[in-house]
Amino acid sequence: MEILIAVAILGGLGLIFGLVLAAASKVFYVESDPRLDQLNECLPGANCGGCGYAGCSAYAEAVFNGEAEIGKCASGGNDCAQAMAAIMGVKAQTVTRKVALVRCSGEKIYDTDGNLTKGAKVKANYEGFKNCLAASKVGGSGPLSCKYGCLGYGSCVKACKYGAMKIVNGVAHVDEDLCVGCMACATVCPRHLIVPVEPDRNVVIACASLAKGAVTTRSCTVGCIGCGLCKKICPNEAITVENNLATIDYSKCTNCGLCATVCPKHLIKDSKVEDLGDPVVQSRNGPVIQA
Amino acid sequence: MEAIFGILISALLTQNFILVKFYGICPFMGVSKKIDTALGMGLAVTFVMALASAACYGINLILIALNLEYMQTVVFILAIASIVQVVEMFLKKSVPALYKALGVFLPLITTNCAVLGVVLVNVQQGYNFLLSTINGAAGGLGFTLAIVLFASIRERVNRSECPECFKGFPIALIAAGLLALSFMGFSGLSIF
């Protein structure tokens, strides 16, 4: 009998509290705009921060308040931008998907004797924090001979929330299938090596060295020396050489791949074509780089 | 009058819910980064504690009448959870800024053991309705005192240099320990 009373009391109290709460939710009802929830649903919810806001809901709120533009979500891409524009009743520009590109190809390849056969020369053994910013501050320009090259301590790998970055032979690589183009990696790279590029392109110039040709050659076998051969052969005038570095204007590039065939450093890569093998960089005294 | 004074001294200083009894540490650590939000949180907890003390006094009378004292904890938790829900709705409607500042910690008052603790202390000490409510409010003020003091310490500590490995939570925990230690000094004030 006593247990029944206990059950009845607890149940009764629960019922009363429930009714009070139901009444309170009516009395204290706050109207929120359904568009805000809809905006939130459009966004991928990965909270990568690529838009510059604290997370997806923060971006949704900023768009809702008119503080942010539509289409800043690289991860959601064009579909997301169009859906958000439809909710807010405005027209969005077409957003093309971009992926990150690491502008360095100085992968360090050593022969069996430990001599550097290809890639960027290392001038010092760095044993500090495994962090690119820390490494870049050491000894003026970091442990690499090239003061523009990828340090390979993986700050971008840590920043990537999509697992699209990895370090291969001391240089960061982007898995373009996984990359959503949030460019979180670019913000942490102390060398500013990472740039957004269209995913449907074949040729890339993966070097950021602004040093003079001779200096670049001394520090890396695959650095752009600004020779301009690619610029001469390009039928569409898509390549410019400025500050000893060639860059491709993708609005003019037709992905013909001619530039990749003439680059003496085999630095311009054409993903349609098989790897052209190690660059043969010879001088009169044998290989240019000897560790 | 003497009893009320004793309760105030006890709840604010000698038996401070956070720094002496170690109840409600979660919001104490979580919402103490800024003095403003700490004060808001403290006042919200004070309000809930006073309200819970008053409501649970009546509920306890029912339980005693039916010989169901062993259900006190369960029923009190139910009552406190409901009260917090109502407070949350009230804040959302009336003080949206405070609602946003408290964020996830407002629902956490539901599971704040300081609130349940003060209600159970009321029952154990056999306080009447007035003394229960006063004990609840004073306990909440003690919470507010502790969290505001701690927030001001943390604001100061954040601007000072400290070893990299201690930055953030570790140094905050050490500061909390020192603050609790200093509150031990009030134990001589005990008049019970």
PDB file of all heavy atoms in Angstrom, chain A residues 46-50 131-132 153-166 180 182-189 194:
ATOM      1  N   ALA A  46      30.026  21.264 -39.992  1.00  0.00           N
ATOM      2  CA  ALA A  46      31.349  20.745 -39.638  1.00  0.00           C
ATOM      3  C   ALA A  46      32.105  21.731 -38.744  1.00  0.00           C
ATOM      4  O   ALA A  46      33.093  21.371 -38.134  1.00  0.00           O
ATOM      5  CB  ALA A  46      32.164  20.481 -40.895  1.00  0.00           C
ATOM      6  N   ASN A  47      31.627  22.978 -38.663  1.00  0.00           N
ATOM      7  CA  ASN A  47      32.259  24.014 -37.837  1.00  0.00           C
ATOM      8  C   ASN A  47      33.745  24.156 -38.127  1.00  0.00           C
ATOM      9  O   ASN A  47      34.561  24.221 -37.213  1.00  0.00           O
ATOM     10  CB  ASN A  47      32.047  23.713 -36.344  1.00  0.00           C
ATOM     11  CG  ASN A  47      30.594  23.760 -35.958  1.00  0.00           C
ATOM     12  OD1 ASN A  47      29.844  24.612 -36.441  1.00  0.00           O
ATOM     13  ND2 ASN A  47      30.167  22.847 -35.122  1.00  0.00           N
ATOM     14  N   CYS A  48      34.094  24.188 -39.415  1.00  0.00           N
ATOM     15  CA  CYS A  48      35.513  24.245 -39.776  1.00  0.00           C
ATOM     16  C   CYS A  48      36.073  25.644 -39.573  1.00  0.00           C
ATOM     17  O   CYS A  48      37.267  25.824 -39.390  1.00  0.00           O
ATOM     18  CB  CYS A  48      35.727  23.796 -41.218  1.00  0.00           C
ATOM     19  SG  CYS A  48      35.032  24.895 -42.466  1.00  0.00           S
ATOM     20  N   GLY A  49      35.217  26.657 -39.609  1.00  0.00           N
ATOM     21  CA  GLY A  49      35.692  28.017 -39.389  1.00  0.00           C
ATOM     22  C   GLY A  49      36.269  28.672 -40.635  1.00  0.00           C
ATOM     23  O   GLY A  49      36.854  29.734 -40.549  1.00  0.00           O
ATOM     24  N   GLY A  50      36.113  28.030 -41.781  1.00  0.00           N
ATOM     25  CA  GLY A  50      36.657  28.577 -43.019  1.00  0.00           C
ATOM     26  C   GLY A  50      36.011  29.889 -43.432  1.00  0.00           C
ATOM     27  O   GLY A  50      36.606  30.684 -44.160  1.00  0.00           O
ATOM     28  N   ASN A 131      56.327  22.423 -34.961  1.00  0.00           N
ATOM     29  CA  ASN A 131      55.346  23.440 -35.303  1.00  0.00           C
ATOM     30  C   ASN A 131      56.012  24.371 -36.295  1.00  0.00           C
ATOM     31  O   ASN A 131      57.127  24.824 -36.088  1.00  0.00           O
ATOM     32  CB  ASN A 131      54.981  24.167 -33.995  1.00  0.00           C
ATOM     33  CG  ASN A 131      54.128  25.384 -34.201  1.00  0.00           C
ATOM     34  OD1 ASN A 131      54.508  26.299 -34.934  1.00  0.00           O
ATOM     35  ND2 ASN A 131      52.984  25.407 -33.557  1.00  0.00           N
ATOM     36  N   CYS A 132      55.331  24.615 -37.428  1.00  0.00           N
ATOM     37  CA  CYS A 132      55.976  25.351 -38.510  1.00  0.00           C
ATOM     38  C   CYS A 132      56.339  26.777 -38.107  1.00  0.00           C
ATOM     39  O   CYS A 132      57.401  27.279 -38.477  1.00  0.00           O
ATOM     40  CB  CYS A 132      55.063  25.395 -39.730  1.00  0.00           C
ATOM     41  SG  CYS A 132      54.731  23.770 -40.416  1.00  0.00           S
ATOM     42  N   TYR A 153      56.473  20.645 -40.796  1.00  0.00           N
ATOM     43  CA  TYR A 153      56.213  20.252 -39.407  1.00  0.00           C
ATOM     44  C   TYR A 153      54.719  20.087 -39.129  1.00  0.00           C
ATOM     45  O   TYR A 153      54.315  19.877 -37.994  1.00  0.00           O
ATOM     46  CB  TYR A 153      56.866  21.225 -38.431  1.00  0.00           C
ATOM     47  CG  TYR A 153      58.370  21.093 -38.462  1.00  0.00           C
ATOM     48  CD1 TYR A 153      59.143  22.021 -39.137  1.00  0.00           C
ATOM     49  CD2 TYR A 153      58.981  19.996 -37.886  1.00  0.00           C
ATOM     50  CE1 TYR A 153      60.516  21.868 -39.216  1.00  0.00           C
ATOM     51  CE2 TYR A 153      60.345  19.831 -37.969  1.00  0.00           C
ATOM     52  CZ  TYR A 153      61.113  20.767 -38.626  1.00  0.00           C
ATOM     53  OH  TYR A 153      62.457  20.602 -38.709  1.00  0.00           O
ATOM     54  N   GLY A 154      53.911  20.221 -40.170  1.00  0.00           N
ATOM     55  CA  GLY A 154      52.525  19.763 -40.083  1.00  0.00           C
ATOM     56  C   GLY A 154      51.545  20.674 -39.369  1.00  0.00           C
ATOM     57  O   GLY A 154      50.528  20.211 -38.872  1.00  0.00           O
ATOM     58  N   SER A 155      51.813  21.984 -39.306  1.00  0.00           N
ATOM     59  CA  SER A 155      50.814  22.874 -38.710  1.00  0.00           C
ATOM     60  C   SER A 155      49.510  22.833 -39.503  1.00  0.00           C
ATOM     61  O   SER A 155      48.419  22.878 -38.936  1.00  0.00           O
ATOM     62  CB  SER A 155      51.339  24.309 -38.666  1.00  0.00           C
ATOM     63  OG  SER A 155      52.334  24.423 -37.691  1.00  0.00           O
ATOM     64  N   CYS A 156      49.639  22.717 -40.839  1.00  0.00           N
ATOM     65  CA  CYS A 156      48.439  22.654 -41.680  1.00  0.00           C
ATOM     66  C   CYS A 156      47.698  21.344 -41.474  1.00  0.00           C
ATOM     67  O   CYS A 156      46.466  21.304 -41.511  1.00  0.00           O
ATOM     68  CB  CYS A 156      48.816  22.832 -43.147  1.00  0.00           C
ATOM     69  SG  CYS A 156      50.165  21.767 -43.676  1.00  0.00           S
ATOM     70  N   VAL A 157      48.454  20.258 -41.228  1.00  0.00           N
ATOM     71  CA  VAL A 157      47.803  18.962 -40.999  1.00  0.00           C
ATOM     72  C   VAL A 157      46.934  19.049 -39.765  1.00  0.00           C
ATOM     73  O   VAL A 157      45.806  18.542 -39.735  1.00  0.00           O
ATOM     74  CB  VAL A 157      48.871  17.855 -40.841  1.00  0.00           C
ATOM     75  CG1 VAL A 157      48.220  16.522 -40.554  1.00  0.00           C
ATOM     76  CG2 VAL A 157      49.718  17.764 -42.092  1.00  0.00           C
ATOM     77  N   LYS A 158      47.471  19.722 -38.717  1.00  0.00           N
ATOM     78  CA  LYS A 158      46.705  19.849 -37.478  1.00  0.00           C
ATOM     79  C   LYS A 158      45.496  20.743 -37.696  1.00  0.00           C
ATOM     80  O   LYS A 158      44.441  20.533 -37.110  1.00  0.00           O
ATOM     81  CB  LYS A 158      47.574  20.441 -36.371  1.00  0.00           C
ATOM     82  CG  LYS A 158      48.547  19.448 -35.797  1.00  0.00           C
ATOM     83  CD  LYS A 158      49.078  19.942 -34.449  1.00  0.00           C
ATOM     84  CE  LYS A 158      50.309  19.161 -34.050  1.00  0.00           C
ATOM     85  NZ  LYS A 158      51.555  19.846 -34.418  1.00  0.00           N
ATOM     86  N   ALA A 159      45.642  21.764 -38.560  1.00  0.00           N
ATOM     87  CA  ALA A 159      44.542  22.717 -38.747  1.00  0.00           C
ATOM     88  C   ALA A 159      43.423  22.124 -39.579  1.00  0.00           C
ATOM     89  O   ALA A 159      42.284  22.567 -39.490  1.00  0.00           O
ATOM     90  CB  ALA A 159      45.065  23.986 -39.417  1.00  0.00           C
ATOM     91  N   CYS A 160      43.728  21.100 -40.397  1.00  0.00           N
ATOM     92  CA  CYS A 160      42.716  20.556 -41.313  1.00  0.00           C
ATOM     93  C   CYS A 160      41.740  19.681 -40.553  1.00  0.00           C
ATOM     94  O   CYS A 160      42.139  18.717 -39.899  1.00  0.00           O
ATOM     95  CB  CYS A 160      43.380  19.745 -42.421  1.00  0.00           C
ATOM     96  SG  CYS A 160      42.177  19.124 -43.609  1.00  0.00           S
ATOM     97  N   LYS A 161      40.460  20.029 -40.649  1.00  0.00           N
ATOM     98  CA  LYS A 161      39.447  19.244 -39.936  1.00  0.00           C
ATOM     99  C   LYS A 161      38.904  18.128 -40.795  1.00  0.00           C
ATOM    100  O   LYS A 161      38.032  17.385 -40.376  1.00  0.00           O
ATOM    101  CB  LYS A 161      38.296  20.156 -39.514  1.00  0.00           C
ATOM    102  CG  LYS A 161      38.724  21.147 -38.487  1.00  0.00           C
ATOM    103  CD  LYS A 161      37.554  21.684 -37.721  1.00  0.00           C
ATOM    104  CE  LYS A 161      38.070  22.537 -36.578  1.00  0.00           C
ATOM    105  NZ  LYS A 161      37.039  23.369 -36.029  1.00  0.00           N
ATOM    106  N   TYR A 162      39.379  18.034 -42.040  1.00  0.00           N
ATOM    107  CA  TYR A 162      38.816  17.041 -42.949  1.00  0.00           C
ATOM    108  C   TYR A 162      39.822  15.935 -43.262  1.00  0.00           C
ATOM    109  O   TYR A 162      39.562  15.090 -44.106  1.00  0.00           O
ATOM    110  CB  TYR A 162      38.354  17.723 -44.231  1.00  0.00           C
ATOM    111  CG  TYR A 162      37.277  18.746 -43.976  1.00  0.00           C
ATOM    112  CD1 TYR A 162      37.597  20.069 -43.737  1.00  0.00           C
ATOM    113  CD2 TYR A 162      35.939  18.365 -43.932  1.00  0.00           C
ATOM    114  CE1 TYR A 162      36.617  21.007 -43.465  1.00  0.00           C
ATOM    115  CE2 TYR A 162      34.951  19.294 -43.659  1.00  0.00           C
ATOM    116  CZ  TYR A 162      35.296  20.611 -43.434  1.00  0.00           C
ATOM    117  OH  TYR A 162      34.314  21.522 -43.162  1.00  0.00           O
ATOM    118  N   GLY A 163      40.973  15.975 -42.594  1.00  0.00           N
ATOM    119  CA  GLY A 163      41.974  14.934 -42.822  1.00  0.00           C
ATOM    120  C   GLY A 163      42.518  14.936 -44.233  1.00  0.00           C
ATOM    121  O   GLY A 163      42.902  13.894 -44.755  1.00  0.00           O
ATOM    122  N   ALA A 164      42.555  16.117 -44.879  1.00  0.00           N
ATOM    123  CA  ALA A 164      42.960  16.169 -46.279  1.00  0.00           C
ATOM    124  C   ALA A 164      44.444  16.481 -46.451  1.00  0.00           C
ATOM    125  O   ALA A 164      44.942  16.432 -47.558  1.00  0.00           O
ATOM    126  CB  ALA A 164      42.136  17.209 -47.021  1.00  0.00           C
ATOM    127  N   MET A 165      45.134  16.812 -45.355  1.00  0.00           N
ATOM    128  CA  MET A 165      46.535  17.178 -45.501  1.00  0.00           C
ATOM    129  C   MET A 165      47.413  16.062 -44.954  1.00  0.00           C
ATOM    130  O   MET A 165      47.060  15.398 -43.986  1.00  0.00           O
ATOM    131  CB  MET A 165      46.853  18.454 -44.698  1.00  0.00           C
ATOM    132  CG  MET A 165      45.949  19.611 -44.927  1.00  0.00           C
ATOM    133  SD  MET A 165      46.311  20.614 -46.362  1.00  0.00           S
ATOM    134  CE  MET A 165      48.011  21.019 -46.212  1.00  0.00           C
ATOM    135  N   LYS A 166      48.549  15.885 -45.578  1.00  0.00           N
ATOM    136  CA  LYS A 166      49.543  14.984 -44.998  1.00  0.00           C
ATOM    137  C   LYS A 166      50.933  15.455 -45.419  1.00  0.00           C
ATOM    138  O   LYS A 166      51.077  16.198 -46.393  1.00  0.00           O
ATOM    139  CB  LYS A 166      49.292  13.533 -45.403  1.00  0.00           C
ATOM    140  CG  LYS A 166      49.451  13.299 -46.874  1.00  0.00           C
ATOM    141  CD  LYS A 166      49.271  11.828 -47.199  1.00  0.00           C
ATOM    142  CE  LYS A 166      49.436  11.653 -48.690  1.00  0.00           C
ATOM    143  NZ  LYS A 166      48.594  10.713 -49.322  1.00  0.00           N
ATOM    144  N   VAL A 180      37.866  20.561 -48.797  1.00  0.00           N
ATOM    145  CA  VAL A 180      36.644  21.301 -49.100  1.00  0.00           C
ATOM    146  C   VAL A 180      36.942  22.765 -49.395  1.00  0.00           C
ATOM    147  O   VAL A 180      36.036  23.530 -49.691  1.00  0.00           O
ATOM    148  CB  VAL A 180      35.624  21.212 -47.949  1.00  0.00           C
ATOM    149  CG1 VAL A 180      35.231  19.777 -47.695  1.00  0.00           C
ATOM    150  CG2 VAL A 180      36.187  21.837 -46.693  1.00  0.00           C
ATOM    151  N   CYS A 182      38.259  25.075 -47.257  1.00  0.00           N
ATOM    152  CA  CYS A 182      37.986  26.029 -46.170  1.00  0.00           C
ATOM    153  C   CYS A 182      39.190  26.923 -45.909  1.00  0.00           C
ATOM    154  O   CYS A 182      39.065  27.963 -45.288  1.00  0.00           O
ATOM    155  CB  CYS A 182      37.563  25.301 -44.891  1.00  0.00           C
ATOM    156  SG  CYS A 182      38.881  24.405 -44.056  1.00  0.00           S
ATOM    157  N   MET A 183      40.357  26.497 -46.356  1.00  0.00           N
ATOM    158  CA  MET A 183      41.609  27.247 -46.254  1.00  0.00           C
ATOM    159  C   MET A 183      42.023  27.516 -44.808  1.00  0.00           C
ATOM    160  O   MET A 183      42.744  28.476 -44.528  1.00  0.00           O
ATOM    161  CB  MET A 183      41.533  28.581 -47.028  1.00  0.00           C
ATOM    162  CG  MET A 183      41.189  28.424 -48.491  1.00  0.00           C
ATOM    163  SD  MET A 183      42.116  27.135 -49.332  1.00  0.00           S
ATOM    164  CE  MET A 183      43.734  27.869 -49.428  1.00  0.00           C
ATOM    165  N   ALA A 184      41.592  26.645 -43.917  1.00  0.00           N
ATOM    166  CA  ALA A 184      42.068  26.755 -42.527  1.00  0.00           C
ATOM    167  C   ALA A 184      43.573  26.524 -42.489  1.00  0.00           C
ATOM    168  O   ALA A 184      44.283  27.119 -41.678  1.00  0.00           O
ATOM    169  CB  ALA A 184      41.355  25.733 -41.645  1.00  0.00           C
ATOM    170  N   CYS A 185      44.078  25.675 -43.412  1.00  0.00           N
ATOM    171  CA  CYS A 185      45.514  25.392 -43.470  1.00  0.00           C
ATOM    172  C   CYS A 185      46.286  26.644 -43.847  1.00  0.00           C
ATOM    173  O   CYS A 185      47.372  26.906 -43.318  1.00  0.00           O
ATOM    174  CB  CYS A 185      45.779  24.272 -44.475  1.00  0.00           C
ATOM    175  SG  CYS A 185      44.919  24.492 -46.042  1.00  0.00           S
ATOM    176  N   ALA A 186      45.720  27.433 -44.788  1.00  0.00           N
ATOM    177  CA  ALA A 186      46.441  28.606 -45.279  1.00  0.00           C
ATOM    178  C   ALA A 186      46.663  29.615 -44.163  1.00  0.00           C
ATOM    179  O   ALA A 186      47.679  30.311 -44.129  1.00  0.00           O
ATOM    180  CB  ALA A 186      45.670  29.252 -46.420  1.00  0.00           C
ATOM    181  N   THR A 187      45.725  29.691 -43.216  1.00  0.00           N
ATOM    182  CA  THR A 187      45.854  30.704 -42.166  1.00  0.00           C
ATOM    183  C   THR A 187      46.954  30.348 -41.179  1.00  0.00           C
ATOM    184  O   THR A 187      47.473  31.232 -40.510  1.00  0.00           O
ATOM    185  CB  THR A 187      44.527  30.882 -41.411  1.00  0.00           C
ATOM    186  OG1 THR A 187      44.165  29.609 -40.863  1.00  0.00           O
ATOM    187  CG2 THR A 187      43.425  31.368 -42.317  1.00  0.00           C
ATOM    188  N   VAL A 188      47.304  29.058 -41.056  1.00  0.00           N
ATOM    189  CA  VAL A 188      48.334  28.701 -40.078  1.00  0.00           C
ATOM    190  C   VAL A 188      49.719  28.579 -40.710  1.00  0.00           C
ATOM    191  O   VAL A 188      50.703  28.463 -40.005  1.00  0.00           O
ATOM    192  CB  VAL A 188      48.010  27.390 -39.339  1.00  0.00           C
ATOM    193  CG1 VAL A 188      46.728  27.530 -38.534  1.00  0.00           C
ATOM    194  CG2 VAL A 188      47.903  26.226 -40.295  1.00  0.00           C
ATOM    195  N   CYS A 189      49.793  28.592 -42.054  1.00  0.00           N
ATOM    196  CA  CYS A 189      51.084  28.386 -42.711  1.00  0.00           C
ATOM    197  C   CYS A 189      51.932  29.655 -42.575  1.00  0.00           C
ATOM    198  O   CYS A 189      51.568  30.705 -43.098  1.00  0.00           O
ATOM    199  CB  CYS A 189      50.902  28.048 -44.184  1.00  0.00           C
ATOM    200  SG  CYS A 189      52.470  27.789 -45.041  1.00  0.00           S
ATOM    201  N   ILE A 194      50.043  28.160 -49.017  1.00  0.00           N
ATOM    202  CA  ILE A 194      48.840  27.450 -49.445  1.00  0.00           C
ATOM    203  C   ILE A 194      47.837  28.444 -50.038  1.00  0.00           C
ATOM    204  O   ILE A 194      47.513  29.451 -49.422  1.00  0.00           O
ATOM    205  CB  ILE A 194      48.224  26.677 -48.270  1.00  0.00           C
ATOM    206  CG1 ILE A 194      49.311  25.810 -47.624  1.00  0.00           C
ATOM    207  CG2 ILE A 194      47.076  25.811 -48.751  1.00  0.00           C
ATOM    208  CD1 ILE A 194      48.877  25.048 -46.420  1.00  0.00           C
TER     209      ILE A 194
END
